[in-house]
Amino acid sequence: MKIIVQKFGGTSVADADRLRNVARKVIKAKDNGYAPVVVVSAQGDTTDMLLEKAAEITDRPNARELDMLLSTGEQISIALLAMTLHAMGYPAISLTGQQVGIMTDESHTKAKIEDIERNRILSELNKGNIVIVAGFQGINCHNDITTLGRGGSDTTAVALAAALGAESCEIYTDVDGVYSADPRVVKEAKKIDEVSYDEMLELASLGARVLHLRCVEIAKKFGTPLHVRSSFNDQPGTIVREGIEMEKGRVVTGIAHNTNVVKITIKGVPDQPGVASRLFGALADREVNVDMIIQSASRKGINDISFTVGKEDKTLAVEVAQDLAKAMGAEGVEHEENVAKVSIVGAGMISHPGVAARMFKTIADTGVNIQMISTSDISISCVIDAEHTDRVVKAIHSTFIN
Ligand code: ADP
Ligand code: ASP
Ligand code: MG
């Protein structure tokens, strides 16, 4: 059996016409001899609407109940797509994460997939059914529904492709592939034909939400090639795979930006051993992902520590910082939500000196101040004032991509 996994995002399944369009792509694969396993997201902005409903009730929804709520979005899509396929004369069955046996850890709202049962899917495929799986959700050891974090349906798809030994994994979305920058921000952005797992990991982790970070991690681990393409046309998209040659002089592959950033600063912390360990240990214990960290130089035995987290972790992170500030006798805690992170990514930058300098000069020429900087082997990131994000991304794109 030649299994193909096809994943369709929220815009691609937003209404009946689009569901019929998706069904046609699935049917084409089936008619070409594939056994399709289809993963779908919630329709349109359903997940945002569900989050708003929770926010109308409390600003601290219980994580288990939030997962119960959010998982309903995908359940609507799978049933509707199954009905669409039936109406078009094809056998199909929808399955929730629980029905498939997508086992996750216990961490509600950002669960990690630990194991996937193959039997139910394989037996449905053997019966000739097209199998439609709810993305973004799983089940933990207590039989409770978990979700995988925003954008997590990509991860469901790739994990299924790896578990089932699928011949290919196609991620259908609302743009033609992975671009050199978010095509909604930079009109001149170019579609990238092929990109390595490592560059894609970096782009995804730095905010290019076209692929969920963990789906790229799983694809790399299992060597699953991904094809990111449009659900609205038949053009080839972007292949993400291992062993892309260091491209023909491509120094910077892409520019990513992320406005889901909060900068938290603990001011006037006594400069003593163990402070950073206590702070970041406490944040890790509460499962807060910390991104950039800066500690200012010590002045008269005190310094400031700034770090960034995602907006979803703001309340928790500020609380942890305030507790520590109190315990350490620090001056106080400030947080800044009007910030964004702009990054360049490219494997070629290791062998090309001066890339950072060109990036900083470009930002300087826009008159925007850089608040924090971080680097890895293949990326450089700067935190700036959020209101200048688009302008800075465009300027950096025109410096590095032509
Ligand atoms: P889906 O619902 O199909 O999962 P997403 O909204 O999660 O779609 O991801 C697709 C979006 O990612 C695009 O509409 C685009 O605005 C955004 N995006 C950000 N960076 C990039 C990039 N480098 N290449 C392509 N799309 C990008
Ligand atoms: N519906 C979820 C979200 O909006 C998961 C996904 O679309 O991948 O984040
Ligand atoms: Mg997505």
Side-chain angles (χ1 to χ4, degrees), residues 7 41-42 47 74 136 149-154:
K7 180 261 170 179
S41 296
T47 308
E74 272 67 15
F136 175 58
R150 297 305 307 267
S153 298
D154 298 337

Side-chain angles (χ1 to χ4, degrees), residues 160-196:
L160 279 171
L164 297 166
E167 296 218 342
S168 64
C169 182
E170 299 181 324
I171 308 286
Y172 286 90
T173 184
D174 55 9
V175 288
D176 285 354
V178 179
Y179 280 73
S180 54
D182 187 337
R184 293 186 201 289
V185 173
V186 182
K187 274 203 304 295
E188 299 77 22
K190 292 196 166 68
K191 196 185 82 192
I192 305 168
D193 292 334
E194 291 195 313
V195 63
S196 66

Side-chain angles (χ1 to χ4, degrees), residues 115-187:
D115 194 22
I116 294 186
E117 301 274 340
R118 298 149 35 113
N119 294 349
R120 179 73 193 270
I121 292 187
L122 290 177
S123 96
E124 296 298 343
L125 291 175
N126 279 324
K127 286 185 223 160
N129 275 320
I130 293 168
V131 175
I132 304 162
V133 178
F136 175 58
Q137 56 179 257
I139 195 90
N140 67 20
C141 58
H142 308 293
N143 224 17
D144 284 331
I145 296 175
T146 51
T147 63
L148 309 180
R150 297 305 307 267
S153 298
D154 298 337
T155 295
T156 307
V158 180
L160 279 171
L164 297 166
E167 296 218 342
S168 64
C169 182
E170 299 181 324
I171 308 286
Y172 286 90
T173 184
D174 55 9
V175 288
D176 285 354
V178 179
Y179 280 73
S180 54
D182 187 337
R184 293 186 201 289
V185 173
V186 182
K187 274 203 304 295

